[in-house]
Every structure is written in structure tokens, then in C-alpha cells.
Amino acid sequence: MSEQTKHNISLYVENKPGVTIRISLVFARRGYNIESFVGSRSQDPRYSRINIEATGDSKTLQLMLEQLNRLVDVIHAREYSDEDVIQKELALIKVHCNSETRTEILQIADAFKCRSEDISDTTMTFQVTGNTSKIEAVRKMLDKFGILEVVRTGKVLIARGEEETSW
Amino acid sequence: MNKKQCTAATKMIEILQNQGVECLFGLPGGSAIPMYDALAQSTMKLVLTRHEQGATHMADGYARSTGKPGVVLVTSGPGATNTLTGIMTAMMDSVPMVVLCGQQLTMNLGLDTFQEADVSGMSYPIVKHSFLVKDPEELPSVINQAFHIASTGRPGPVIVDIPKNVSSALIPEDTSGEFSLPGYNPLKEVNQDDVKKAATMISVAQRPILMVGHGAVISGAVKEVQAIVEKMQIPVVNTLLGKGCFPESHDLNLGMPGMHGTAYANMALCECDLIVSIGSRWDDRIAGNPDEFLPQAKKIHIDIDPVEINKAVQVDCSVIGDAREILNSLYAYLNKGNTQRWVKQIKRLKREYPLKYKKEGKLRAQHVIEEMSKLTKGEAIVTSDVGQHQMWAAQFFKTEKSRHFLTSGGAGTMGYGFPAAIGAQIGNPGKTVVAIVGDGGFQMTLPELSTVVNEKLPLKILIINNNYLGMVRQWQHMFYENRLSGVDLEGNPDFVKLAAAYGIKGFRVKRSADVRKVLNAALAYSDGPCIIDAEVEQHDNVFPMVPSGATLDKMLLSMPRNKKLEKPTGGT
Ligand SMILES: Cc1ncc(C[n+]2csc(CCOP(=O)(O)OP(=O)(O)O)c2C)c(N)n1
Ligand SMILES: [Mg+2]
């Protein structure tokens, strides 16, 4: 089997029923696994933006992008890298704590500009925003205290400067 | 002032007529009644079929032979699911088709109500596009979109799912049919740099070959191909679906390459230094193992669909766009090279490795097909079903004109040939249309005999009757030590008596000596359809054969003696 890598794909599509099925089928047919899928209406309500992170063999990617672009409801589908765009995601992390660990956890959270959302005798829940590597870093730092749950939104993105987002 | 109103179904028929639709193929049911009602009140012709699969293949045969989209009108649930095989067949071969399906009431969708099927959900992977219409005032626009999508760019089937309350709703008579499709831009401007690069590669090639496929046929590039062949003296192979784009009787035509291609086509491919695919997608029936396909040759790919570029075979140059337009500009950039020696070599290959079979002894399918080809002189439209007879038809029926050889290539759908011939005959009333079918495949759609009778079509149905699912028997014989499993068609009807039951004239041929006489009589028969039951040698095998998944140089010219053949590595 050829190498499996993660790819970021963004799509600009018609805001119509059935669009997500048509898109998902392209991924599924070539054996791509979708890791995250974010979609919402764009500024122009006739269209939606979808960002997909998917794992699969790189050779197939070009073919899949063409297959996505071939769909009548897809205005465009492109691969992007983190350098191309401003890219953020949000995660909620629930970590186990007690009176001894609480201060240290708060310090770590502070260093990463996490927002504290909830606190109980045995848990603390934070909201983290940033790029994927930042979220991974927070997660790693909190791991030793016992992470109970992580819920992530998947990536959203916007173009830098005056440029219009074309991904 | 009250605007004048009509049902959405009535408006739909009007739009179909504006789209130039001559006739619909289909069979009604509850949720389609409003549309059939509107149809009855119009001048539009209906071809009532006996099964919805038949309707789709008829629309397909109509479309392939005329170039215009074929239109199907069926009911919801089982009516719609019966069309799926025909839709997949059309999708695989890029055939323009619009399938209008009745559907349950919008408020009943998703509730497993009577004859409700999620037609969109079931068909996503086998359509070019599909619509579920919820607003009756959108129906006119959707119908126009469906035709636009089906027939432009790389053609394909489009489903329009129409709930009964939508088709029967009243809408203003002047409801607009306009649309915009911002995500659909099938006609991109041809990149002239790519064309120039291709022209240079062709001009310097010593041993070039053109491979014309269905894309060349669809774009109508007959003159353009001819002009390039004549100017450059380049030999041509045509794929199964490319048959007829360049006359098969021409000196420089090598017929079909690939699994059951001619020996000289495959040998020439193994020797060439450049292959130019014009609207062929390097199907695995030709490429065998795409990674090892003609390593010695440079490859150029001309295709309207960017998805096809580097999909199967890696190419050195690609030009995206309409084949005809591309060939037109290509012509201007070409410098005549010197292919004299190559052409000589090609002619020698054609002389030394001709297609052959024995005319003595038992009646051979090849003999019947070759004779039919000779007697119809390239003027007949031929359809074939799927199996051994299909490959023999591809080999021995010399196709001289574009859109004159119709067969299910990509899907290999048994049951295609006969209904497709009905569609072709309806689209080409003055033409001789011959359906070459196997005894197995014919039985999959033979209820349409009623349809031919009903429509009084002078169709010739040539049954290559070997009493076997011959192609599968051949594989079991060659690669599974002749352990025959599920291929004996014991229980076949007497096809001449069957024809008689429908009031159809039947001919039978059993002996080689009678072939010409019987075929002549059948061709001369003008009082409606006829069946020719050709009882042929049962155990004949199609050669040449390149085992599936193997490279072209592994071609077998006949069954090797005393040598066990490895099981093929290809998919089917
Ligand atoms: C719908 C469908 N079912 C099964 C097959 C597999 N198949 C391919 S060729 C063939 C045999 C066809 O037999 P027949 O129509 O008698 O033609 P012959 O090969 O004998 O000329 C079969 C079963 C198919 N192509 N399509
Ligand atoms: Mg048979």
C-alpha cells in the first residue's frame, strides 16, 4: 500500500440538499477516511464552505480533487497548506484534577491562553483555539493529569490580508 | 389579472418539446400518472416498454445513434429502481440521458410510504447529476438544467425525481425555465501550449499510433481524425466504443486493440513509439496492467474530462477539451514526419496476422457476423449485447461510420443490445438496424419484443445461439480446467417459435452453406421485425486473447496445447 498522509481540502459548494453525500462518496470510493468535516453557509447564503481533513494515499489526491471539481454542485475544491491561509480550530478539553494539581493545570492553561469554561471538584474544562499544533501541544501538556474528553470542531480558514478566501 | 395556469407536468412536456425531444421511453405507475396525463394531451410520442430497464437502454441506443439525449419516463419505487442498470450503463459510456421519475408526495418522503424509494440516494454514484424537485415552479428550470448537464461536456445520465404533488401542481404558464449553474463549466478553453507540445511530439514520432475512443465519436471529430491521418500517415486503432470514427476498411485502420483486439493492433502497439488517445480512457480491457502499459511509447491524452488524465495510465502530455476542437488546432501545428517504414510494417502485420476462423464444418459465429457485415456494406447501425458474440462483432463487423456500432463497453451490461437497437431504429427510421445478441443476454430484455411489434420496427435480431453463457464458459475452459459452472443454457426456448408467438418472422441458420442465403432473406424481409436464430458451434473461443491484467505482448493467438494457463490477475 502506498503512503497514507493527511490532506486538507477546502470546498466552496452550492448550499443544497445532497451536496455532502456527493462529496463524501468521492472520498469513500477511493478509500479515504475523513478525519474532520466542517461546513457552514458562506457569506453569500447560496453557497457553503466545507473544510475536510482526510487521510489517504497521496497519489489518489489529485484524482479525487478532479472528481470533486467535476461535481455539478461544487464551485471549487482545493488542497491547502497551513502557510496558505489563516487556519483555526476550537477544542474543548476536560481534564481530571484535584486540589494538588489544580494550580499547575491553571498555569498551563494560562500559558496557552485557554479559557476556563467549567470547573468541578474533580474536573476542569477549557476552551482552546488555535492551529492544530497548538491544540496538540495543550493536549500533550495536560495528558499526565488525565484527559477525560476532547471535543474538536475541525478546521476553519480564511485568506490573509486583502485577498479573498479562494480555498 | 389572474395569470393563466397549467400543471407543472404540462409545462414539463412543453419544455421537453422545446428541447427537441421526439419521444419518451417508459412505463407508467401511480406517481407518474400526472406526467403521463400531460403526455397524452400533447403531440409527444411515447414508446411504451415492457420493463423500465428496456426503456433506459432504448433511450441509450437512441442517444448513441443520434447524438441527442434519450429521455425516460417511469414511476417511483420499483419503476425507478428498474432503471438503475441502464443508468449505470449510460454513465460508464458517457451517454446523454434524462430519466424522469415519478415520486411519492413530498410530505411522504423518507417515511417508507408505498412505492417510495430514495432514488437520489441509490443513484448518486451512477449519475452525472440528479435533482429532487420540491417546488413545482422550479420544474421547468430543472428540466432545462437536466438537458444541459446531460448533453454538454462529457455527457452522462441525469435523474429528475418528481413527486406527484409537484407534477400535478398548478403553476403559471409562463413560469421561467432559466437557470444558472455556477459549479458547472464543462467547456474550458483549450490550452494552446498543450496542443503545440502534442503537435511536436507527433511530428517527430517515428512510429506513432492514434487511438480513437468514444470521446472522438461524441465530439463528432470524424473529419478531423481523417485529416490528421491523411496528412501524417499515422495508423489508427479504435476502441470498442470508438468503432466507426475512422473507417475500419481503411488501409491505416488496425481495428480494436486490447483483450480481444486484433493481433496486428496489439503488435503495432507493442512496437509504437507514441500513442495518442483521442477520447479514450485507457480502459483496463486495453491497458491490461496500466502500470506496465507500453513502456516504450510516449503517451498523449486528449480528453474533455480532467479526471481521466493520469487516472489509469501516466501520460507525457495531456490536452483537455473538446476533441474536435483540439484536433482542429492540432492539425495546423503538425509537421509531416516520415512514417513510411512504419506504415509498411503495419501493412505487413495486417497481412501476416489476419483475423481468422474456419468456414468449413460447423457454423461459426464469426462467419455469420462477417457475412452480415459484408451484406450491409457499412450502412447498417449495429448494436451488440455482451459476451463472445460482442467481441466477434467488434472484430468482424467492419464499421465505416460514426455512431453505427452501439455496445455496452464500460458496464458490459447483458440485455443491452436488443433494446438499444429499438432506440436506434426509432432515432433512425430509414436505416437498417441489426441487433447482434447472445442467447443468454437476449433473454434478459426480450419482453421488449412486444415493443418492437407495437412500434412496427423493421429490426433484424441476430441471435448468436451457442446455448451457453459463452464468454464465461470460455474463461472456465481456459483458466479453470474446463470446470463449467452455471453456464449451460439448457432450457433455452426455440427462438423461432418464440418469435412466432409475438407474430414476428423467424429465420434459422445451422449450416455454413446457408449463411448468405438466410441473411439475404432476413435483410430483404420488410414486413416488420425478424429474428435470425444462428445455431453456432457451442465450444468456440474468442481469440486473440490477452489474459486480463497482463500486458499486450502476452497475447494468445489460439488455445495453447498441453500448457496450463495461469489464472488472470485482472479484475474481471
Ligand atoms: C447483467 C450481466 N450479468 C452477467 C454478466 C457476466 N457475463 C458476461 S458475458 C456473459 C455470457 C453471455 O452469454 P450470451 O449472452 O449467451 O453471449 P455469448 O458469450 O454466449 O456470446 C456473462 C454471463 C454480464 N456481463 N452482465
Ligand atoms: Mg451464448
Side-chain angles (χ1 to χ4, degrees):
Chain A
M1 257 202 102
S2 53
E3 202 197 337
Q4 303 284 300
T5 36
K6 260 192 195 165
H7 299 278
N8 295 307
I9 295 145
S10 80
L11 298 107
Y12 194 55
V13 304
E14 295 223 36
N15 183 4
K16 280 188 183 161
V19 174
T20 50
I21 305 183
R22 293 182 210 265
I23 292 168
S24 321
L25 278 171
V26 171
F27 285 87
R29 248 182 119 176
R30 290 302 305 173
Y32 256 65
N33 189 45
I34 294 180
E35 312 284 346
S36 78
F37 190 112
V38 192
S40 57
R41 213 169 73 177
S42 77
Q43 203 172 346
D44 181 341
R46 289 173 303 168
Y47 304 107
S48 303
R49 284 191 190 285
I50 296 176
N51 295 316
I52 295 174
E53 195 182 6
T55 318
D57 106 49
S58 303
K59 225 186 92 184
T60 309
L61 184 74
Q62 196 51 38
L63 173 67
M64 256 181 24
L65 287 174
E66 294 291 2
Q67 284 173 328
L68 290 168
N69 277 308
R70 184 166 70 174
L71 294 173
V72 171
D73 289 337
V74 170
I75 314 295
H76 67 239
R78 300 200 176 110
E79 188 184 22
Y80 68 91
S81 72
D82 290 355
E83 292 84 66
D84 296 330
V85 291
I86 300 168
Q87 171 243 294
K88 297 283 171 215
E89 71 177 301
L90 182 149
L92 297 171
I93 303 179
K94 189 184 288 180
V95 62
H96 179 78
C97 70
N98 54 37
S99 48
E100 278 139 50
T101 56
R102 190 165 290 139
T103 325
E104 194 184 341
I105 292 174
L106 277 170
Q107 277 171 352
I108 294 170
D110 198 38
F112 283 100
K113 299 205 172 64
C114 302
R115 246 176 65 181
S116 163
E117 294 290 347
D118 184 40
I119 202 157
S120 76
D121 283 349
T122 52
T123 66
M124 294 174 88
T125 303
F126 298 102
Q127 172 194 311
V128 200
T129 52
N131 58 23
T132 309
S133 55
K134 176 178 167 187
I135 290 169
E136 284 305 323
V138 179
R139 196 189 155 126
K140 220 167 143 195
M141 292 297 288
L142 294 178
D143 216 18
K144 63 174 175 193
F145 306 105
I147 289 179
L148 300 171
E149 258 184 279
V150 182
V151 181
R152 295 166 77 147
T153 57
K155 298 169 178 185
V156 291
L157 60 88
I158 197 162
R160 296 178 191 281
E162 286 190 6
E163 196 187 336
E164 203 185 320
T165 305
S166 60
W167 278 275
Chain B
M1 201 182 82
N2 256 351
K3 273 194 180 171
K4 270 197 155 180
Q5 292 192 314
C6 65
T7 66
T10 303
K11 186 74 191 172
M12 179 186 88
I13 301 289
E14 181 193 315
I15 301 233
L16 294 178
Q17 287 181 316
N18 292 344
Q19 286 285 352
V21 177
E22 291 177 287
C23 72
L24 308 181
F25 302 91
L27 189 153
S31 64
I33 290 181
M35 293 189 278
Y36 273 84
D37 188 43
L39 178 62
Q41 296 174 53
S42 74
T43 53
M44 176 81 76
K45 179 179 162 64
L46 169 73
V47 177
L48 174 63
T49 69
R50 295 302 185 267
H51 189 290
E52 291 85 351
Q53 181 183 353
T56 53
H57 295 326
M58 287 178 209
D60 179 313
Y62 176 90
R64 290 194 210 213
S65 62
T66 63
K68 295 190 283 187
V71 188
V72 175
L73 178 59
V74 297
T75 193
S76 65
T81 57
N82 272 350
T83 65
L84 292 179
T85 301
I87 291 171
M88 186 272 265
T89 305
M91 182 69 176
M92 291 293 258
D93 289 347
S94 312
V95 177
M97 184 186 293
V98 174
V99 181
L100 309 164
C101 300
Q103 180 55 285
Q104 255 285 4
L105 305 176
T106 36
M107 62 185 225
N108 284 343
L109 295 182
L111 304 179
D112 299 326
T113 41
F114 181 63
Q115 293 195 331
E116 184 228 344
D118 179 5
V119 175
S120 305
M122 283 186 288
S123 62
Y124 283 127
I126 54 166
V127 294
K128 183 168 174 188
H129 197 58
S130 54
F131 298 91
L132 168 60
V133 187
K134 291 197 167 155
D135 174 357
E137 293 197 21
E138 274 186 6
L139 186 60
S141 159
V142 167
I143 300 292
N144 282 332
Q145 291 177 56
F147 276 84
H148 179 63
I149 293 169
S151 56
T152 53
R154 180 180 186 170
V158 177
I159 292 183
V160 187
D161 207 14
I162 308 166
K164 191 173 181 179
N165 54 320
V166 169
S167 56
S168 48
L170 288 172
I171 60 172
E173 261 182 7
D174 59 358
T175 303
S176 158
E178 284 172 19
F179 64 87
S180 87
L181 286 165
Y184 182 67
N185 308 301
L187 282 182
K188 301 199 177 64
E189 211 180 310
V190 174
N191 182 332
Q192 292 302 317
D193 290 341
D194 294 341
V195 180
K196 283 180 200 159
K197 182 176 171 194
T200 309
M201 287 170 71
I202 298 170
S203 299
V204 303
Q206 311 265 306
R207 298 184 306 282
I209 287 188
L210 298 187
M211 176 162 76
V212 294
H214 204 199
V217 172
I218 294 167
S219 78
V222 171
K223 283 208 184 88
E224 290 70 13
V225 169
Q226 181 113 24
I228 290 177
V229 173
E230 301 295 354
K231 173 172 179 176
M232 303 297 290
Q233 290 297 302
I234 303 181
V236 179
V237 296
N238 45 246
T239 69
L240 181 62
L241 298 192
K243 262 173 86 74
C245 189
F246 183 70
E248 288 194 302
S249 60
H250 194 286
D251 261 4
L252 289 173
N253 187 305
L254 296 168
M256 180 177 77
M259 182 179 281
H260 290 299
T262 61
Y264 41 85
N266 287 339
M267 288 170 168
L269 284 180
C270 290
E271 295 285 310
C272 76
D273 65 354
L274 173 73
I275 172 165
V276 186
S277 158
I278 306 169
S280 150
R281 59 190 168 88
W282 319 91
D283 182 82
D284 54 273
R285 302 288 92 169
I286 290 172
N289 177 352
D291 292 336
E292 292 173 35
F293 182 63
L294 309 184
Q296 88 287 353
K298 290 248 186 309
K299 298 171 188 87
I300 298 174
H301 192 172
I302 295 171
D303 208 296
I304 199 162
D305 184 357
V307 168
E308 295 300 341
I309 308 299
N310 293 328
K311 186 184 86 174
V313 166
Q314 294 293 313
V315 297
D316 302 281
C317 169
S318 60
V319 192
I320 293 170
D322 176 68
R324 186 169 160 200
E325 188 189 331
I326 292 170
L327 295 185
N328 248 326
S329 22
L330 184 71
Y331 184 87
Y333 297 127
L334 288 172
N335 292 317
K336 190 166 164 22
N338 184 357
T339 59
Q340 256 179 11
R341 280 182 58 186
W342 177 229
V343 168
K344 253 195 189 154
Q345 190 180 343
I346 293 287
K347 288 184 180 162
R348 185 172 51 78
L349 286 173
K350 279 182 84 165
R351 267 196 318 275
E352 282 176 19
Y353 300 94
L355 287 164
K356 52 183 178 205
Y357 62 90
K358 280 209 244 40
K359 280 194 185 164
E360 314 81 55
K362 274 198 179 158
L363 178 60
R364 306 283 293 269
Q366 300 91 313
H367 184 176
V368 182
I369 292 168
E370 187 172 46
E371 197 61 44
M372 187 57 113
S373 172
K374 283 183 186 152
L375 294 175
T376 50
K377 301 187 187 73
E379 288 300 325
I381 296 179
V382 178
T383 72
S384 93
D385 213 77
V386 172
Q388 290 186 312
H389 65 281
Q390 176 189 36
M391 292 298 107
W392 282 319
Q395 294 176 340
F396 290 92
F397 209 104
K398 299 293 171 232
T399 312
E400 300 298 296
K401 292 182 176 171
S402 177
R403 301 193 181 280
H404 277 53
F405 187 88
L406 322 178
T407 191
S408 167
T413 303
M414 278 171 75
Y416 170 85
F418 168 47
I422 298 177
Q425 183 79 78
I426 287 170
N428 302 269
K431 280 259 176 189
T432 301
V433 179
V434 183
I436 302 179
V437 297
D439 49 324
F442 179 50
Q443 293 185 69
M444 289 197 176
T445 45
L446 71 73
E448 305 306 342
L449 283 171
S450 306
T451 313
V452 212
V453 171
N454 212 12
E455 297 293 326
K456 303 186 183 62
L457 302 174
L459 201 65
K460 320 289 175 198
I461 306 161
L462 173 57
I463 306 172
I464 302 298
N465 187 355
N466 53 12
N467 229 56
Y468 273 116
L469 295 171
M471 186 55 97
V472 182
R473 187 203 53 74
Q474 173 168 353
W475 278 53
Q476 294 174 346
H477 173 72
M478 290 179 68
F479 306 112
Y480 294 81
E481 284 102 50
N482 205 31
R483 285 188 299 278
L484 301 191
S485 174
V487 292
D488 191 338
L489 290 182
E490 191 59 52
N492 268 349
D494 176 327
F495 287 107
V496 172
K497 280 191 186 154
L498 180 82
Y502 284 90
I504 292 176
K505 173 81 180 162
F507 296 90
R508 177 166 283 135
V509 54
K510 292 180 174 188
R511 297 187 319 155
S512 314
D514 298 336
V515 171
R516 179 164 307 175
K517 190 180 71 194
V518 174
L519 293 188
N520 260 328
L523 286 168
Y525 181 76
S526 58
D527 196 18
C530 69
I531 274 183
I532 308 137
D533 181 17
E535 292 184 7
V536 299
E537 160 62 43
Q538 289 191 277
H539 299 99
D540 207 354
N541 298 318
V542 185
F543 286 103
M545 177 170 191
V546 182
S548 104
T551 48
L552 292 181
D553 55 325
K554 303 289 185 304
M555 174 174 63
L556 305 167
L557 290 176
S558 61
M559 186 69 185
R561 288 185 202 284
N562 313 322
K563 183 170 165 261
K564 207 180 131 187
L565 291 167
E566 298 284 323
K567 290 202 173 52
T569 55
T572 54

